[in-house]
Amino acid sequence: MAFVSTTSVLFMLFILTSAKSIPNYIENRINLIESEVDMQLGSDVILNDDEKQANEILMHWKQKEIEESFRNPQHFNFSKHYFAYKNDIPKSKVYQIIKRMPKGAVLHVHSSLMLSADRLLNLTYEEHLYMCNDDGDLQFRFSEDTPKSPCSIDWVLLKDLRNLNGAKFDESLKEYLTLFSESDSVCSKTNDINSIWRKFEKVSNLVSQLIIYRPVTEKFFYEALIEFYEDNIQYIEIRSGLKTLYELNGTVHDKLYMPRLYREVAERFKRDHPDFVGVKLIVTRHRLKTDEEIRKTINMARQVKQELPSFFAGFDLVGQEDLGRPLSDILPFLAEAKNDLQYYFHGGETNWYGTSADENLFDAVLLGSKRIGHAYGLIKHPSLLMAVKQKDIALEVNVVSNVVLGLVHDVRNHPLATYLALGLPVVLSSDDPGVWGADPLSHDFYITFVGVASKRADLRLLKQLAINSIKYSTLNIQHKEILFRVFYSKWDVFIKQVLTMSATL
Ligand SMILES: *[C@@H]1O[C@H](CO)[C@@H](O)[C@H](O)[C@H]1NC(C)=O
Ligand SMILES: *[C@@H]1O[C@H](CO)[C@@H](O)[C@H](O)[C@H]1NC(C)=O
Ligand SMILES: *[C@@H]1O[C@H](CO)[C@@H](O)[C@H](O)[C@H]1NC(C)=O
Ligand SMILES: [Zn+2]
């Protein structure tokens, strides 16, 4: 445990207050600061000469950004809603460096919400797509003839609507495929968490309808992998429900078809991109489902594990924790499958203290969760903070998600700052980057590095976060080694790039 004990802090304070001379005081001050710095995530990383030089360049730009904001807090972007400054991020030199950085793995992302709205919109150009628009409630269905599924108005061929309405059509359709809007109406500070989540689940449902048509599923997932790959990500653990895919002629596939298809697409992507290491699947179910439905999915997860052992990673429950069933409610099933399935539970994605959502954190630890999704409320639980450190349970922190979904308005107040200071096993991820138009990972890294972490936190933190993403992945030892090898060789190239960038900055 890296916590400084209370007695040693008191002892330090005693020394400080009884300091007889300034030199003594200064030395004690240095020691006190150092004891803290030693605890921070990244403090164990030792930089070589090239890395030190790259670090100087990186820190020059980081300090500059922070100092400017410190002098002009009215212009400080990270205390505003993400949507207010998102499009300006590419101007940042720190971001430009982070963008090029190899980041290892993404360990917390929901596959149906990986892809950006622009590329999703492109998928609506596929033939045979019908749309039902019931006063702003949209449905999609691919079909040879008019779909038979219920629509209170009329199913209309999307192509016809598009031809009728021109370019404006795409603009308005896109708004249904993302939470992002320039005017920031739904997600502004005046909106409560439940209404943001309602809009979020609506987008999520519509996207799901688009991508469960088998030919689109393949294109969708391949495109999503391209976006992640281009953001310098080498490996991904996706979370997904087992969706029923269908064909144009009405054929409906069984639920194991989807993981098979995802695996095939991932394999094809790997063949096309030999420096991409792969994908694994965490099977999920919505936490509002009944006992019976959840039990079924657990059994299906067992089948996926049996049939695709190298693709299967584990099990999780998804959906808004505040309104969903707590883990303790489903305990009998979860405890029963505990030794069969590895758990990667969402836990404590809430601002409430002492509620069932907050206390999911206890169950996640007790049920042997290998990592915890968000763990936003963990900061309020000293015994769990210790348990997480002792058991080496990684925290999958998603800063941009927490802003957009209404947990935190000013990222300087994000509990991640404390997790980093305590040297907890943190990995950064992006949750649903497609839905809010974020980079697959670079925005989360950039905002964390400049807005959440200490002003002094440097390249060592970034490197440790990338290393953690590999270390806490579910890959076996051999595959971790492969991933580390790929990562380190990209890292060397990245450092050289930063050094040549300095000339042009
Ligand atoms: C902050 O956002 C403003 C626009 O709101 C933009 O002009 C500026 O470049 C941004 N600063 C940084 C460091 O991204
Ligand atoms: C959209 O799809 C077309 C082909 O259907 C492709 O040529 C184009 O590059 C795509 N655009 C994007 C942004 O993916
Ligand atoms: C329906 O389409 C799929 C994919 O094109 C094909 O494999 C299947 O044989 C078709 N089934 C029927 C009954 O036509
Ligand atoms: Zn999530």
Side-chain angles (χ1 to χ4, degrees):
M1 194 78 246
F3 292 116
V4 176
S5 72
T6 318
T7 37
S8 69
V9 171
L10 289 177
F11 181 65
M12 285 284 202
L13 288 174
F14 170 76
I15 292 179
L16 292 182
T17 47
S18 66
K20 289 194 184 66
S21 59
I22 291 295
N24 227 347
Y25 178 93
I26 288 169
E27 197 188 319
N28 290 332
R29 186 178 189 274
I30 289 170
N31 288 342
L32 192 57
I33 291 175
E34 262 180 15
S35 71
E36 227 189 43
V37 167
D38 285 349
M39 273 189 260
Q40 286 170 5
L41 196 69
S43 60
D44 295 338
V45 173
I46 294 164
L47 301 179
N48 65 27
D49 288 344
D50 279 355
E51 287 174 319
K52 280 182 190 155
Q53 217 182 320
N55 193 31
E56 271 174 35
I57 295 162
L58 174 72
M59 291 309 280
H60 165 76
W61 293 111
K62 172 169 165 171
Q63 308 283 355
K64 198 162 160 232
E65 263 185 44
I66 292 180
E67 276 153 25
E68 272 171 19
S69 297
F70 183 71
R71 280 194 301 275
N72 304 290
Q74 74 276 20
H75 295 146
F76 180 54
N77 285 341
F78 302 140
S79 61
K80 298 178 190 154
H81 194 282
Y82 168 69
F83 293 168
Y85 64 85
K86 170 178 115 63
N87 291 339
D88 288 303
I89 291 178
K91 286 192 277 184
S92 156
K93 292 282 192 279
V94 177
Y95 168 77
Q96 289 165 20
I97 292 172
I98 285 176
K99 182 82 191 160
R100 286 162 207 232
M101 185 185 114
K103 298 170 192 77
V106 166
L107 300 183
H108 187 121
V109 68
H110 301 272
S111 66
S112 59
L113 303 173
M114 285 168 88
L115 190 63
S116 64
D118 284 333
R119 293 203 190 216
L120 281 174
L121 188 66
N122 215 6
L123 293 175
T124 66
Y125 278 81
E126 295 288 319
E127 290 290 321
H128 309 294
L129 177 57
Y130 282 82
M131 188 170 92
C132 170
N133 182 353
D134 179 1
D135 202 17
D137 278 327
L138 301 195
Q139 290 185 71
F140 287 143
R141 182 80 191 175
F142 287 90
S143 183
E144 206 117 42
D145 312 305
T146 309
K148 302 201 171 45
S149 39
C151 165
S152 61
I153 317 294
D154 280 318
W155 285 104
V156 189
L157 206 53
L158 194 118
K159 193 164 72 179
D160 295 344
L161 287 172
R162 183 171 271 139
N163 289 339
L164 222 66
N165 295 289
K168 272 218 180 93
F169 178 79
D170 274 7
E171 239 167 79
S172 61
L173 183 59
K174 197 167 128 184
E175 281 177 22
Y176 289 90
L177 299 172
T178 178
L179 281 181
F180 176 68
S181 87
E182 302 278 354
S183 59
D184 183 25
S185 56
V186 176
C187 295
S188 74
K189 287 175 195 176
T190 52
N191 266 288
D192 67 282
I193 252 171
N194 290 4
S195 44
I196 297 171
W197 268 86
R198 268 199 299 279
K199 164 99 202 239
F200 172 69
E201 300 237 345
K202 206 167 150 178
V203 172
S204 167
N205 284 336
L206 187 65
V207 172
S208 290
Q209 289 178 29
L210 182 65
I211 65 172
I212 57 171
Y213 172 49
R214 195 266 314 156
V216 170
T217 315
E218 290 183 30
K219 287 185 187 166
F220 159 80
F221 191 48
Y222 196 91
E223 299 249 308
L225 294 180
I226 291 176
E227 287 192 338
F228 275 60
Y229 177 80
E230 287 177 349
D231 203 32
N232 269 307
I233 289 152
Q234 286 79 49
Y235 168 75
I236 313 172
E237 287 178 10
I238 55 168
R239 280 166 163 86
S240 179
L242 298 172
K243 308 263 171 65
T244 312
L245 307 185
Y246 68 95
E247 305 284 348
L248 201 59
N249 59 19
T251 301
V252 171
H253 295 284
D254 69 63
K255 293 208 179 216
L256 289 184
Y257 185 89
M258 195 205 90
R260 283 181 212 127
L261 187 67
Y262 267 56
R263 197 187 72 100
E264 266 175 45
V265 173
E267 289 301 316
R268 178 155 53 87
F269 188 85
K270 261 173 68 173
R271 281 195 300 277
D272 299 346
H273 306 84
D275 56 345
F276 183 74
V277 174
V279 176
K280 279 183 193 268
L281 169 71
I282 296 168
V283 172
T284 63
R285 193 76 214 248
H286 201 287
R287 57 177 67 254
L288 276 175
K289 297 290 175 185
T290 63
D291 281 357
E292 188 49 30
E293 288 165 322
I294 290 171
R295 204 179 50 81
K296 263 194 189 154
T297 305
I298 286 176
N299 285 334
M300 227 124 45
R302 286 185 165 117
Q303 288 177 41
V304 177
K305 181 181 177 184
Q306 195 172 21
E307 191 188 316
L308 308 168
S310 64
F311 187 58
F312 178 83
F315 180 78
D316 184 19
L317 291 161
V318 300
Q320 190 184 359
E321 277 184 78
D322 281 345
L323 301 185
R325 303 176 65 191
L327 295 176
S328 58
D329 204 27
I330 312 156
L331 193 60
F333 309 117
L334 298 178
E336 195 245 281
K338 181 171 180 281
N339 300 322
D340 249 7
L341 304 176
Q342 298 199 311
Y343 290 144
Y344 297 91
F345 289 127
H346 281 72
E349 187 186 3
T350 181
N351 268 322
W352 296 101
Y353 185 18
T355 58
S356 61
D358 179 48
E359 291 182 353
N360 276 338
L361 287 164
F362 288 97
D363 299 290
V365 168
L366 289 170
L367 285 164
S369 204
K370 303 281 174 214
R371 305 191 299 255
I372 300 179
H374 294 286
Y376 187 86
L378 186 77
I379 189 79
K380 296 158 186 163
H381 299 283
S383 60
L384 289 179
L385 282 166
M386 278 189 244
V388 156
K389 183 102 181 180
Q390 265 160 15
K391 293 177 196 276
D392 208 21
I393 302 171
L395 312 177
E396 306 166 341
V397 180
N398 310 283
V399 173
V400 175
S401 168
N402 298 151
V403 170
V404 175
L405 295 178
L407 288 186
V408 61
H409 299 309
D410 182 332
V411 299
R412 287 171 298 180
N413 296 326
H414 197 291
L416 171 61
T418 309
Y419 303 160
L420 297 177
L422 292 172
L424 295 181
V426 167
V427 297
L428 287 191
S429 203
S430 53
D431 211 9
D432 315 288
V435 179
W436 35 82
D439 283 0
L441 199 50
S442 290
H443 285 182
D444 281 89
F445 258 79
Y446 165 63
I447 292 166
T448 296
F449 186 57
V450 178
V452 181
S454 161
K455 185 184 173 195
R456 298 169 190 270
D458 59 15
L459 185 63
R460 294 173 302 157
L461 172 66
L462 295 178
K463 194 174 182 184
Q464 186 66 56
L465 285 167
I467 290 170
N468 277 2
S469 74
I470 301 172
K471 180 176 170 195
Y472 294 101
S473 74
T474 181
L475 289 171
N476 64 26
I477 292 174
Q478 289 101 313
H479 288 131
K480 264 185 203 172
E481 262 172 31
I482 293 171
L483 181 48
F484 269 122
R485 226 175 300 136
V486 171
F487 167 74
Y488 282 124
S489 88
K490 284 179 181 292
W491 182 265
D492 289 343
V493 173
F494 159 67
I495 293 298
K496 299 243 152 52
Q497 279 177 349
V498 177
L499 297 184
T500 54
M501 270 173 87
S502 71
T504 60
L505 290 175

